[in-house]
């Protein structure tokens, strides 16, 4: 909840004063680090190496212009995003919202699947840290040995003793894998055998979902949210330290030529049935401010009080001055958060390219969290898994927790806009409470039905990629049909907005094309 302040408030005029009222963008940035950076971005780096760094950075920077347009209209009108989207021209069902609102509903369902993937990732983190069954313990040993075997293959062998140690490690790994396969089975493939996973991750995911339901329903989650943001910040700093320390190791360091190659606009080739570009475009939809964050951001701006501080539009000089001042605060908030999540995204991508790509490891299914932890092995050795699992739990659970709370609010607003519930505040609060208990369990069900966290996250990315062009069109509608005289942005901003919308359209068209071809 925001502090109790007057219904209208003059905006601060100095940077420090503006920073005091920043916040919505950092809430969005805190949730972005979860599935976008930790899972999708590193997977893209694992598949493409350094070649698609340019696309990842573009995905972070270019969408902020549309984000500000959404925030601008919310501030000047006091309307929620779904109320605003229902004004966009196009087909509509009388009293039930328009085509954009209904497509948002389809995208929301995919984003629930994304949260299913995230709660699965939380379950995997806990299953690796605290296995619940004997099978789970043996599985952890076998999989750790398998990954260690692949890592030593990348390392340069400088003498005979190191070569003997490497051979011994490989033999130990083979023995552990064979022991597990004999007891619990494995799927035969053309490559290494895939061990049948234990139930530990699913059990932990169920426990986490039930606890989250209780916390959201009773509404006592401010302490956990604050703790999650602290943990996310700490893990991000640890990841940055990890990347810099990699530079001291010749086998893993990011070469300047590799970094530059990632900025040249090159396209990677498909390999082994894997299309890095398709993965990257799915990632493009959710990194930075994805479609979901574009929709949620104005809700946080209104919650912070930007619209209330500006006051109802009355066309007076005082109102115009307040609106212009609070728009400056909102822009500072959006750009500040963009710098934070763009730098974080680049760090995660480079780690994926420098470690996972070189070791030929691709995070997927029950190996997702364990494979991602490999990024910390060259620097932290035996401590890598502990440090990474602590951080993975922090960022994934933070995203799961905050996103479910946000979904409860946006979905209740959606069914209000669609005319399925009354518009009074008591009804809204009741539905927020009901949905807060329902959504975490729905996420769990989707994960149990389809236990592949990476695919669930990328499916949401594809749906958000499809919605990006629609939101780009809506941003142009707000700019040219809902702008208020005296509050319009400048010509340079308009050019950047058009570039942002163009990138969104390219992403949407390519998303459709690539899926039709595949």
């Amino acid at each position: 909840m925001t502090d109790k302040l007057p219904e209208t408030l003059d905006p601060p005029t100095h940077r420090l004063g503006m920073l005091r009222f920043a916040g919505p963008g950092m809430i969005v940035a805190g949730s972005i680090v979860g599935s976008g950076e930790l899972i999708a971005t590193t997977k893209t780096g694992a598949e493409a190496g350094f070649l698609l760094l340019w696309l990842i950075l573009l995905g972070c920077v270019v969408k902020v212009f549309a984000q500000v347009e959404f925030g601008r209209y919310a501030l000047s009108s006091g309307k929620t995003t779904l109320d605003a989207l229902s004004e966009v021209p196009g087909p509509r069902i009388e009293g039930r919202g328009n085509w954009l609102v209904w497509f948002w509903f389809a995208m929301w369902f995919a984003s629930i699947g994304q949260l299913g993937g995230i709660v699965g990732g939380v379950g995997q983190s806990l299953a690796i840290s605290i296995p619940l069954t004997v099978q789970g313990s043996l599985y952890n040993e076998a999989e750790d040995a398998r990954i260690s075997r692949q890592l030593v293959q990348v390392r340069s062998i400088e003498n005979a003793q190191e070569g003997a140690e490497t051979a011994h490690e490989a033999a130990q790994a083979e023995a552990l894998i064979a022991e597990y396969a004999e007891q619990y089975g494995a799927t035969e493939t053309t490559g290494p055998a895939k061990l049948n996973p234990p139930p530990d991750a699913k059990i932990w995911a169920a426990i986490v979902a039930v606890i989250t339901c209780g916390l959201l329903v009773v509404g006592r989650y401010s302490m956990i949210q604050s703790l999650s943001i602290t943990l996310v910040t700490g893990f991000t700093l640890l990841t940055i330290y990890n990347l810099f320390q990699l530079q001291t190791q010749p086998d893993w360091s990011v070469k300047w030529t590799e970094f530059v190659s990632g900025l040249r606009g090159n396209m990677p080739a498909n390999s082994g049935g894997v299309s890095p570009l398709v993965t990257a475009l799915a990632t493009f939809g959710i990194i930075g401010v994805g479609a979901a964050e574009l929709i949620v951001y104005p809700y946080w701006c209104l919650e912070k009080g930007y619209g209330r501080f500006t006051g109802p539009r009355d066309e007076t000089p005082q109102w115009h001055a307040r609106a212009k001042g609070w728009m400056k605060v909102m822009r500072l908030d959006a750009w500040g958060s963009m710098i934070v999540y763009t730098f974080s995204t680049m760090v995660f991508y480079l780690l994926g390219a420098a470690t996972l790509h070189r070791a030929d490891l691709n995070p997927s299914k029950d190996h997702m969290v364990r494979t991602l932890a490999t990024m910390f092995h060259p620097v932290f050795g035996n401590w890598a898994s502990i440090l990474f699992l602590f951080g993975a739990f922090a960022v994934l659970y933070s995203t799961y927790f905050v996103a479910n709370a946000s979904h409860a609010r946006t979905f209740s607003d959606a069914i209000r806009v669609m005319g399925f519930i009354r518009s009074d505040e008591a009804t809204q609060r009741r539905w927020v409470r009901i949905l807060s208990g329902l959504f975490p369990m729905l996420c769990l069900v989707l994960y149990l039905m389809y236990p592949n966290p990476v695919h669930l996250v990328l499916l949401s990315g594809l749906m958000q990629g499809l919605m990006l062009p629609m939101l780009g069109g809506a941003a142009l509608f707000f700019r040219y049909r809902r702008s208020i005289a005296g509050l319009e942005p400048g010509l340079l901003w308009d050019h950047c907005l058009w570039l942002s919308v163009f990138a969104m359209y390219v992403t949407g068209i390519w998303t459709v094309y690539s899926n039709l071809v595949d």
Side-chain angles (χ1 to χ4, degrees):
M1 297 296 291
T2 55
D3 297 334
K4 293 293 183 182
L5 292 168
E7 284 303 303
T8 60
L9 186 70
D10 289 334
T13 56
H14 300 290
R15 294 289 184 184
L16 288 178
M18 292 180 182
L19 288 174
R20 174 174 171 257
F21 287 93
M26 292 309 298
I27 293 174
V28 170
S31 65
I32 286 170
V33 174
S35 60
E37 272 67 3
L38 183 61
I39 299 176
T41 303
T42 50
K43 181 175 176 65
T44 304
E47 293 181 2
F50 297 95
L51 291 181
L52 290 179
L53 176 61
W54 65 273
L55 184 62
I56 297 300
L57 294 178
L58 181 66
C60 289
V61 175
V62 76
K63 289 175 285 187
V64 72
F65 299 97
Q67 174 189 354
V68 170
E69 285 306 317
F70 276 75
R72 190 196 309 276
Y73 186 52
L75 190 152
S76 62
S77 67
K79 294 180 179 179
T80 65
T81 311
L82 293 174
D83 261 331
L85 291 180
S86 65
E87 299 177 2
V88 175
R92 65 181 61 244
I93 301 174
E94 190 61 34
R96 301 295 187 202
N98 68 348
W99 61 285
L100 258 179
V101 173
W102 282 96
F103 191 88
W104 170 86
F105 187 84
M107 189 198 75
W108 163 84
F109 187 79
S111 67
I112 287 291
Q114 175 184 358
L115 293 180
I118 290 175
V119 76
V122 174
Q124 287 183 21
S125 301
L126 291 170
I128 296 170
S129 307
I130 314 172
L132 300 175
T133 64
V134 174
Q135 180 185 357
S137 298
L138 186 56
Y139 181 82
N140 287 344
E141 293 179 10
E143 285 300 317
D144 286 343
R146 178 183 66 83
I147 288 178
S148 295
R149 181 183 60 188
Q150 289 188 243
L151 286 177
V152 297
Q153 291 173 354
V154 178
R155 192 177 64 207
S156 299
I157 305 300
E158 297 181 357
N159 54 55
Q161 181 179 352
E162 285 189 11
E165 291 174 354
T166 298
H168 180 66
E169 290 177 23
Q172 283 186 317
E174 291 293 346
L176 284 169
I177 292 170
E179 179 185 356
Y180 184 93
E182 183 179 351
Q183 292 189 45
Y184 300 105
T187 303
E188 293 295 332
T189 65
T190 55
K194 295 181 180 179
L195 303 179
N196 292 333
D200 299 46
K202 294 179 180 179
I203 296 172
W204 271 119
I207 293 172
V208 168
V210 170
I211 292 174
T212 303
C213 284
L215 291 170
L216 289 175
V217 168
V218 300
R220 297 177 181 176
Y221 52 84
S222 58
M223 180 188 71
I224 294 180
Q225 182 174 334
S226 299
L227 178 61
S228 295
I229 292 174
T230 302
L231 292 175
V232 168
T233 302
F235 179 63
T236 302
L237 292 175
L238 182 67
T239 304
I240 294 170
Y241 173 79
N242 184 40
L243 179 64
F244 278 101
Q245 285 299 109
L246 276 184
Q247 297 306 104
T248 65
Q249 303 191 24
D251 294 327
W252 303 103
S253 64
V254 178
K255 310 297 188 297
W256 175 250
T257 53
E258 292 173 324
F259 183 83
V260 172
S261 71
L263 303 176
R264 290 175 176 165
N266 295 323
M267 297 289 185
N270 293 355
S271 176
V274 174
S275 175
L277 186 57
V278 171
T279 301
L281 287 170
T283 302
F284 189 98
I286 52 179
I287 58 172
V289 280
E293 285 77 29
L294 286 173
I295 290 171
V296 167
Y297 181 69
Y299 285 89
W300 291 116
C301 288
L302 293 174
E303 180 75 14
K304 186 67 176 178
Y306 294 164
R308 186 174 74 252
F309 300 156
T310 301
R313 179 180 173 184
D314 57 15
E315 301 297 346
T316 62
Q318 292 81 6
W319 182 88
H320 274 263
R322 287 196 304 271
K324 183 175 290 187
W326 285 112
M327 284 180 184
K328 287 182 180 178
V329 174
M330 186 262 295
R331 285 197 300 271
L332 178 67
D333 173 79
W335 279 99
S337 64
M338 186 273 292
I339 293 171
V340 171
Y341 60 67
T342 298
F343 184 73
S344 299
T345 303
M346 181 182 69
V347 169
F348 278 100
Y349 181 86
L350 292 176
L351 272 180
T355 56
L356 302 183
H357 182 71
R358 287 170 177 167
D360 195 25
L361 292 168
N362 196 345
S364 64
K365 296 187 177 180
D366 293 281
H367 300 151
M368 180 191 73
V369 170
R370 193 184 311 275
T371 303
L372 292 174
T374 305
M375 298 185 298
F376 280 55
H377 273 278
V379 171
F380 295 103
N382 293 333
W383 286 94
S385 293
I386 297 174
L387 290 171
F388 181 83
L389 293 172
F390 173 78
F393 173 81
V395 298
L396 291 175
Y397 185 70
S398 174
T399 298
Y400 177 70
F401 187 86
V402 175
N404 271 299
S406 299
H407 276 315
R409 286 152 177 78
T410 54
F411 194 89
S412 64
D413 189 45
I415 56 179
R416 175 192 63 80
V417 171
M418 293 176 178
F420 293 116
I421 64 172
R422 295 193 301 271
S423 296
D424 61 278
E425 188 175 345
T427 301
Q428 288 284 104
R429 283 200 305 268
R430 183 169 67 253
W431 274 98
V432 167
R433 186 176 293 253
I434 292 171
L435 297 174
S436 294
L438 174 64
F439 285 168
M441 299 309 296
L442 180 57
C443 299
L444 173 66
V445 169
L446 289 174
Y447 168 65
L448 295 178
M449 291 173 59
Y450 189 70
N452 191 330
V454 171
H455 282 183
L456 289 171
V457 169
L458 292 180
L459 173 62
S460 176
L462 289 173
M463 288 299 293
Q464 292 193 49
L466 289 174
M467 193 166 192
L468 280 176
M470 306 176 196
L471 295 180
L476 293 176
F477 174 79
F478 298 146
R479 165 62 186 92
Y480 293 104
R481 293 291 182 268
R482 292 293 184 268
S483 287
I484 298 171
L487 298 178
E488 308 99 327
L491 185 60
L492 177 60
W493 181 272
D494 281 345
H495 287 159
C496 292
L497 176 62
W498 277 97
L499 176 63
S500 176
V501 173
F502 175 75
M504 293 180 182
Y505 270 86
V506 170
T507 303
I509 292 170
W510 183 262
T511 298
V512 174
Y513 171 77
S514 61
N515 280 273
L516 288 177
V517 170
D518 289 345

